[in-house]
Amino acid sequence: MDNSNRLMFAVVMVIAYMAMGAQTQNSTTAPNVTMAANVTTTGPNITTNLSTTRSPGVNITINGTMAPNTTMSPPAVVPVVNTTVTALTVNISRTECGNSQLCAAQPKNCDPALPGSCFFVSTQQSSGQTFSFQLRGVSSGYIAVGLSTNLTLDGNATIYVCANNNNNVKFFTALLDKGNLTINNALPVDSVKGSVNGQIIQCTFSATVPKATATRSIDTSFYLSISNGTFMNGILGDPNIVMLSNIAVDLSNSKTTVINSLNSNTTPSHAFGLQHTLSQALLTLLGVVGLMML
């Protein structure tokens, strides 16, 4: 190979080398990546689309459906109806009367912790319409405490009954209307305890009383009564009212003095006697005046 051929060969090699270098330098690497996240929840649709393009050649798309924030109401509280009776191992007393308990009794101020004929009831507010009751009385059948929105005890007065069932207490809830006592055992009660000693019946219980706002400005204001009656073969006899408050009393006010309206029945007869005497005197006076005018 002469010199001219060698030179030509060298030029060709240099050109080829430069062409290969340019091809390598101009090459492009562009990875394409597409990401998609889809989220779907129940409820009214709120759609959010986010599209982002990032270099080199990366596309990210996020499609989401989200439910709006919602506030859930707390579950409704179901009143407890539990008339199961456990043993009451202590005597009911009036120690907390006027302090934490509203008390009513017949005879007035009798002590339920002592033997003898004493009808007694106390109430103590636990919360809202829920109260703790203590009831004590004398009967071979049953004793009961009643709550009514009127003095006549009509209109389905609420009655809580503690009966002597073979020397054990059996508890009932009932409604009283026009003297008729109907067992329903559907009123909210719990924590019933009872004891029977001869004819002395005692019981304690917790009860959620109905609201009295239909006729009273205070939800816990009722005419309060104590009664007793017969209990034979699972049947409650008509109640004999022993104590009935003369006004609606607020069960939550321990300072209230409860007056038995049955102890004041003689007042109307006295008033009628006085009116009759005055009428007779007036007739006599008119007769005398008439004779003088003749």
Side-chain angles (χ1 to χ4, degrees):
M1 181 179 297
D2 55 16
N3 290 336
S4 60
N5 291 335
R6 290 177 180 170
L7 180 60
M8 182 63 69
F9 179 80
V11 170
V12 171
M13 293 297 292
V14 170
I15 292 173
Y17 179 81
M18 292 177 65
M20 292 176 64
Q23 182 179 2
T24 302
Q25 190 175 15
N26 292 330
S27 62
T28 301
T29 302
N32 294 320
V33 179
T34 301
M35 300 175 63
N38 295 318
V39 180
T40 303
T41 62
T42 60
N45 292 333
I46 297 176
T47 304
T48 302
N49 292 321
L50 300 177
S51 298
T52 305
T53 302
R54 301 181 60 185
S55 178
V58 178
N59 295 325
I60 301 175
T61 301
I62 301 176
N63 295 321
T65 301
M66 297 182 297
N69 293 331
T70 57
T71 302
M72 297 182 63
S73 300
V77 178
V78 179
V80 175
V81 180
N82 179 14
T83 58
T84 302
V85 182
T86 59
L88 179 63
T89 57
V90 297
N91 287 330
I92 291 173
S93 74
R94 57 180 308 118
T95 304
E96 288 301 314
C97 291
N99 295 321
S100 62
Q101 295 175 351
L102 167 72
C103 298
Q106 177 59 34
K108 183 180 179 181
N109 297 325
C110 67
D111 190 346
L114 300 178
S117 179
C118 178
F119 292 86
F120 174 86
V121 65
S122 72
T123 66
Q124 182 174 353
Q125 189 176 36
S126 302
S127 63
Q129 298 295 116
T130 302
F131 288 82
S132 295
F133 287 81
Q134 293 185 120
L135 179 63
R136 190 265 197 198
V138 179
S139 176
S140 59
Y142 71 83
I143 59 173
V145 55
L147 306 177
S148 176
T149 55
N150 56 67
L151 187 59
T152 58
L153 303 181
D154 290 335
N156 289 330
T158 299
I159 308 294
Y160 303 101
V161 181
C162 300
N164 181 351
N165 184 40
N166 297 323
N167 294 320
N168 293 297
V169 169
K170 188 173 181 63
F171 189 86
F172 301 93
T173 64
L175 299 176
L176 178 66
D177 187 29
K178 296 180 175 60
N180 297 318
L181 193 61
T182 304
I183 298 173
N184 70 351
N185 284 336
L187 302 177
V189 293
D190 195 14
S191 305
V192 184
K193 295 181 179 181
S195 67
V196 176
N197 183 10
Q199 289 194 346
I200 296 177
I201 302 173
Q202 298 185 105
C203 62
T204 63
F205 57 94
S206 174
T208 301
V209 302
K211 290 187 177 182
T213 46
T215 56
R216 294 285 170 270
S217 59
I218 302 175
D219 285 346
T220 55
S221 181
F222 297 93
Y223 287 90
L224 185 64
S225 66
I226 305 174
S227 60
N228 64 0
T230 61
F231 179 62
M232 298 180 63
N233 300 321
I235 299 175
L236 298 173
D238 293 338
N240 170 45
I241 307 299
V242 178
M243 194 287 301
L244 175 62
S245 65
N246 64 331
I247 61 173
V249 295
D250 182 4
L251 303 184
S252 65
N253 186 357
S254 61
K255 305 299 182 182
T256 300
T257 299
V258 181
I259 298 175
N260 188 356
S261 63
L262 304 182
N263 291 340
S264 58
N265 284 342
T266 55
T267 301
S269 62
H270 286 317
F272 176 78
L274 178 60
Q275 181 181 9
H276 182 65
T277 301
L278 291 174
S279 298
Q280 285 184 325
L282 181 58
L283 289 174
T284 302
L285 179 61
L286 290 174
V288 172
V289 172
L291 290 174
M292 293 176 62
M293 293 177 65
L294 292 175

